[in-house]
Short mmCIF file of all heavy atoms in Angstrom, two decimals:
data_model
loop_
_atom_site.label_atom_id
_atom_site.label_comp_id
_atom_site.label_asym_id
_atom_site.label_seq_id
_atom_site.Cartn_x
_atom_site.Cartn_y
_atom_site.Cartn_z
N CYS T 1 -5.47 -4.18 1.12
CA CYS T 1 -4.56 -5.21 0.60
C CYS T 1 -3.98 -4.67 -0.72
O CYS T 1 -4.72 -4.27 -1.65
CB CYS T 1 -5.30 -6.50 0.39
SG CYS T 1 -4.20 -7.89 -0.17
N LEU T 2 -2.68 -4.83 -0.93
CA LEU T 2 -1.97 -4.47 -2.17
C LEU T 2 -1.08 -5.68 -2.57
O LEU T 2 0.02 -5.81 -2.14
CB LEU T 2 -1.10 -3.18 -1.98
CG LEU T 2 -0.45 -2.66 -3.24
CD1 LEU T 2 -1.49 -2.19 -4.31
CD2 LEU T 2 0.56 -1.58 -2.94
N PRO T 3 -1.54 -6.52 -3.40
CA PRO T 3 -0.86 -7.77 -3.74
C PRO T 3 0.07 -7.65 -5.05
O PRO T 3 0.19 -8.61 -5.83
CB PRO T 3 -2.02 -8.78 -4.03
CG PRO T 3 -3.17 -7.91 -4.55
CD PRO T 3 -2.91 -6.54 -4.00
N SER T 4 0.75 -6.54 -5.19
CA SER T 4 1.48 -6.17 -6.30
C SER T 4 2.59 -7.23 -6.69
O SER T 4 3.27 -7.66 -5.78
CB SER T 4 2.07 -4.83 -6.28
OG SER T 4 1.26 -3.95 -5.75
N ASP T 5 2.91 -7.36 -8.02
CA ASP T 5 4.12 -8.07 -8.48
C ASP T 5 5.21 -7.02 -8.76
O ASP T 5 6.38 -7.33 -8.60
CB ASP T 5 3.90 -8.81 -9.72
CG ASP T 5 3.06 -10.12 -9.51
OD1 ASP T 5 3.14 -10.68 -8.46
OD2 ASP T 5 2.28 -10.60 -10.38
N VAL T 6 4.72 -5.80 -9.16
CA VAL T 6 5.73 -4.72 -9.48
C VAL T 6 5.21 -3.49 -8.93
O VAL T 6 4.08 -3.11 -9.00
CB VAL T 6 5.86 -4.60 -11.07
CG1 VAL T 6 6.73 -3.47 -11.42
CG2 VAL T 6 6.31 -5.88 -11.70
N GLU T 7 6.12 -2.70 -8.29
CA GLU T 7 5.77 -1.39 -7.80
C GLU T 7 7.06 -0.46 -8.01
O GLU T 7 8.11 -0.87 -8.23
CB GLU T 7 5.53 -1.42 -6.36
CG GLU T 7 4.09 -1.92 -5.99
CD GLU T 7 2.94 -0.89 -6.44
OE1 GLU T 7 3.28 0.16 -6.89
OE2 GLU T 7 1.76 -1.35 -6.28
N GLY T 8 6.77 0.84 -7.99
CA GLY T 8 7.86 1.81 -7.84
C GLY T 8 7.94 2.21 -6.40
O GLY T 8 8.68 1.64 -5.65
N MET T 9 7.04 3.18 -5.96
CA MET T 9 6.81 3.33 -4.60
C MET T 9 5.32 3.59 -4.44
O MET T 9 4.82 4.49 -4.97
CB MET T 9 7.56 4.55 -4.10
CG MET T 9 7.41 4.78 -2.54
SD MET T 9 8.23 6.18 -1.94
CE MET T 9 8.01 5.85 -0.18
N PRO T 10 4.59 2.56 -3.82
CA PRO T 10 3.20 2.63 -3.89
C PRO T 10 2.52 3.73 -3.06
O PRO T 10 2.34 3.63 -1.82
CB PRO T 10 2.81 1.24 -3.34
CG PRO T 10 4.04 0.79 -2.49
CD PRO T 10 5.21 1.40 -3.12
N LEU T 11 2.04 4.70 -3.82
CA LEU T 11 1.40 5.77 -3.07
C LEU T 11 0.08 5.41 -2.38
O LEU T 11 -0.29 5.93 -1.39
CB LEU T 11 1.07 7.00 -4.02
CG LEU T 11 2.24 7.96 -4.39
CD1 LEU T 11 1.87 8.87 -5.46
CD2 LEU T 11 2.53 8.78 -3.08
N SER T 12 -0.70 4.52 -3.00
CA SER T 12 -1.95 4.03 -2.36
C SER T 12 -1.71 3.37 -1.03
O SER T 12 -2.44 3.53 -0.10
CB SER T 12 -2.70 3.11 -3.29
OG SER T 12 -1.94 2.04 -3.57
N LEU T 13 -0.55 2.66 -0.93
CA LEU T 13 -0.09 2.08 0.35
C LEU T 13 0.22 3.16 1.37
O LEU T 13 -0.18 3.08 2.53
CB LEU T 13 1.04 1.13 0.13
CG LEU T 13 1.66 0.49 1.41
CD1 LEU T 13 0.58 -0.33 2.14
CD2 LEU T 13 2.79 -0.46 0.95
N LEU T 14 0.97 4.19 0.97
CA LEU T 14 1.27 5.24 1.89
C LEU T 14 0.02 5.96 2.41
O LEU T 14 -0.19 6.24 3.61
CB LEU T 14 2.08 6.28 1.09
CG LEU T 14 3.60 6.01 0.93
CD1 LEU T 14 4.23 7.14 0.11
CD2 LEU T 14 4.37 5.84 2.23
N GLU T 15 -0.87 6.15 1.43
CA GLU T 15 -2.18 6.77 1.83
C GLU T 15 -3.02 5.88 2.82
O GLU T 15 -3.52 6.36 3.75
CB GLU T 15 -3.03 7.09 0.59
CG GLU T 15 -2.48 8.14 -0.27
CD GLU T 15 -3.26 8.41 -1.45
OE1 GLU T 15 -3.79 7.53 -2.18
OE2 GLU T 15 -3.51 9.63 -1.85
N ALA T 16 -3.11 4.59 2.52
CA ALA T 16 -3.77 3.70 3.38
C ALA T 16 -3.20 3.71 4.81
O ALA T 16 -3.94 3.73 5.76
CB ALA T 16 -3.72 2.26 2.82
N MET T 17 -1.86 3.67 4.88
CA MET T 17 -1.22 3.75 6.25
C MET T 17 -1.44 5.09 6.89
O MET T 17 -1.54 5.14 8.10
CB MET T 17 0.24 3.38 6.06
CG MET T 17 0.50 1.92 5.65
SD MET T 17 2.27 1.54 5.56
CE MET T 17 2.59 1.33 7.33
N SER T 18 -1.50 6.20 6.13
CA SER T 18 -1.74 7.41 6.75
C SER T 18 -3.08 7.54 7.46
O SER T 18 -3.28 8.32 8.37
CB SER T 18 -1.59 8.55 5.75
OG SER T 18 -2.73 8.64 4.87
N TYR T 19 -4.02 6.76 6.91
CA TYR T 19 -5.37 6.63 7.62
C TYR T 19 -5.40 5.65 8.79
O TYR T 19 -6.40 5.48 9.44
CB TYR T 19 -6.36 6.17 6.59
CG TYR T 19 -6.91 7.23 5.59
CD1 TYR T 19 -6.27 7.48 4.49
CD2 TYR T 19 -8.05 7.97 5.93
CE1 TYR T 19 -6.69 8.50 3.57
CE2 TYR T 19 -8.55 8.97 5.09
CZ TYR T 19 -7.80 9.27 3.92
OH TYR T 19 -8.27 10.26 3.08
N GLY T 20 -4.20 5.00 8.95
CA GLY T 20 -4.07 4.03 10.07
C GLY T 20 -4.70 2.68 9.71
O GLY T 20 -4.91 1.75 10.56
N CYS T 21 -4.82 2.38 8.39
CA CYS T 21 -5.35 1.11 7.87
C CYS T 21 -4.41 -0.07 8.22
O CYS T 21 -3.25 0.13 8.06
CB CYS T 21 -5.59 1.13 6.40
SG CYS T 21 -6.80 2.23 5.75
N THR T 22 -5.01 -1.13 8.69
CA THR T 22 -4.29 -2.46 8.77
C THR T 22 -3.99 -2.83 7.32
O THR T 22 -4.90 -2.86 6.50
CB THR T 22 -5.10 -3.42 9.53
OG1 THR T 22 -5.36 -2.98 10.82
CG2 THR T 22 -4.41 -4.87 9.54
N CYS T 23 -2.73 -3.16 7.00
CA CYS T 23 -2.38 -3.47 5.58
C CYS T 23 -1.78 -4.80 5.42
O CYS T 23 -0.94 -5.27 6.33
CB CYS T 23 -1.43 -2.38 5.09
SG CYS T 23 -2.11 -0.73 4.95
N LEU T 24 -2.05 -5.45 4.31
CA LEU T 24 -1.39 -6.70 3.87
C LEU T 24 -0.92 -6.48 2.46
O LEU T 24 -1.63 -6.09 1.54
CB LEU T 24 -2.34 -7.79 3.87
CG LEU T 24 -2.00 -9.17 3.32
CD1 LEU T 24 -0.74 -9.76 4.06
CD2 LEU T 24 -3.10 -10.16 3.38
N VAL T 25 0.43 -6.71 2.23
CA VAL T 25 1.00 -6.47 0.94
C VAL T 25 1.93 -7.61 0.57
O VAL T 25 2.41 -8.41 1.37
CB VAL T 25 1.83 -5.14 0.97
CG1 VAL T 25 0.97 -3.95 1.33
CG2 VAL T 25 3.01 -5.27 1.98
N SER T 26 2.08 -7.72 -0.76
CA SER T 26 3.13 -8.76 -1.19
C SER T 26 4.49 -8.41 -0.76
O SER T 26 4.79 -7.13 -0.52
CB SER T 26 3.11 -8.72 -2.76
OG SER T 26 3.41 -7.46 -3.29
#
């Protein structure tokens, strides 16, 4: 889960998805 109010380009989200993680984001 990445509940950000502000991002540039979220590398941690890219990494999580590269592992095949189910993701929930703002």
